[in-house]
């Protein structure tokens, strides 16, 4: 990609984002408030924004945090579906709302402290990129907004398990 206004459409064909694409609030949100336009590693850029948004969310009581996850997941299915259909590309790399929710899943009941926030970031990115089963299955076989969201939720679940396991071992 040569700049943030371009994307690779499936077989590497480069095409500019349609004019005004990010002026649509749903597209802007699906693109992680613009973080998905990063010229390199938009998923990592989106996860970095998710970390910033997590900072106040970490203080929510568990029931409110879980409710926030449910709402942002349902909203994400709609946002991601809308943006991907408009662009004509399933799971376009710039759509990073799924990274937000996946990272926040990772951080359920995370211990306090920057080291855990950073470790959660690293673990989530590893599982999101690696895509062990069933993540790979969902990534390849579930389509639309649900398909875009579900593989990142699973990556978040794997990262959550590892993060909690590490905390158990060092606590």
């Amino acid at each position: 990609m040569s700049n943030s206004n371009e994307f690779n459409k499936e077989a590497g064909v480069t095409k500019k984002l349609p004019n005004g694409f990010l002026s649509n609030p749903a597209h802007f949100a699906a693109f992680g408030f613009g973080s998905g336009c990063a010229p390199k590693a938009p998923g990592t850029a989106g996860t970095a924004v998710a970390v910033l948004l997590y900072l106040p969310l970490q203080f929510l009581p568990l029931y409110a945090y879980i409710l926030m996850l449910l709402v942002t997941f349902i909203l994400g299915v709609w946002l991601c579906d809308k943006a991907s259909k408009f662009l004509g590309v399933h799971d376009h790399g710039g759509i990073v709302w799924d990274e937000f929710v996946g990272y926040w899943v990772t951080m359920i009941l995370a211990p306090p402290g920057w080291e855990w926030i950073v470790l959660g970031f690293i673990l989530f990115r590893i599982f999101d990129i690696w895509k062990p089963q069933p993540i790979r299955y969902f990534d390849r076989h579930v389509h639309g907004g649900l398909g875009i969201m579900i593989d990142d939720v699973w990556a978040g679940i794997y990262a959550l398990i590892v993060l909690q396991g590490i905390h158990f071992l060092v606590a």
Side-chain angles (χ1 to χ4, degrees):
M1 285 185 219
S2 60
N3 69 47
S4 62
N5 286 334
E6 297 182 2
F7 67 92
N8 290 331
K9 186 172 181 176
E10 290 164 30
V13 176
T14 302
K15 180 179 174 185
K16 288 188 181 242
L17 287 175
N19 287 336
F21 176 74
L22 292 179
S23 64
N24 178 315
H27 299 161
F28 185 65
F31 267 61
F33 311 116
S35 62
C37 291
K40 299 219 186 268
T44 300
T47 306
V49 171
V51 169
L52 294 175
L53 296 171
Y54 171 74
L55 295 177
L57 295 174
Q58 68 184 316
F59 301 109
L60 291 173
L62 181 59
Y63 76 90
Y65 192 89
I66 299 299
L67 180 61
M68 177 275 303
L69 280 174
L70 290 172
V71 169
T72 57
F73 175 80
I74 292 166
L75 177 62
V77 169
W78 179 76
L79 290 171
C80 295
D81 190 64
K82 185 171 178 64
S84 69
K85 283 181 178 171
F86 185 86
L87 292 171
V89 180
H90 174 70
D91 206 357
H92 177 283
I95 297 173
V96 295
W97 186 270
D98 51 332
E99 270 78 12
F100 285 13
V101 176
Y103 175 74
W104 296 336
V105 167
T106 300
M107 301 308 289
I108 295 170
L109 293 174
W114 276 100
E115 63 275 14
W116 298 103
I117 291 170
V118 171
L119 182 58
F121 175 90
I122 293 167
L123 290 170
F124 173 70
R125 292 307 303 146
I126 288 170
F127 285 109
D128 189 33
I129 293 166
W130 177 29
K131 296 191 187 319
Q133 293 298 347
I135 301 169
R136 186 175 303 123
Y137 175 84
F138 289 122
D139 184 54
R140 293 180 181 168
H141 298 289
V142 182
H143 302 289
L146 179 62
I148 294 169
M149 292 293 298
I150 199 69
D151 67 307
D152 286 68
V153 168
W154 272 100
I157 291 168
Y158 277 36
L160 165 70
I161 292 167
V162 173
L163 184 74
Q164 292 298 325
I166 292 169
H167 179 248
F168 177 79
L169 290 173
V170 300

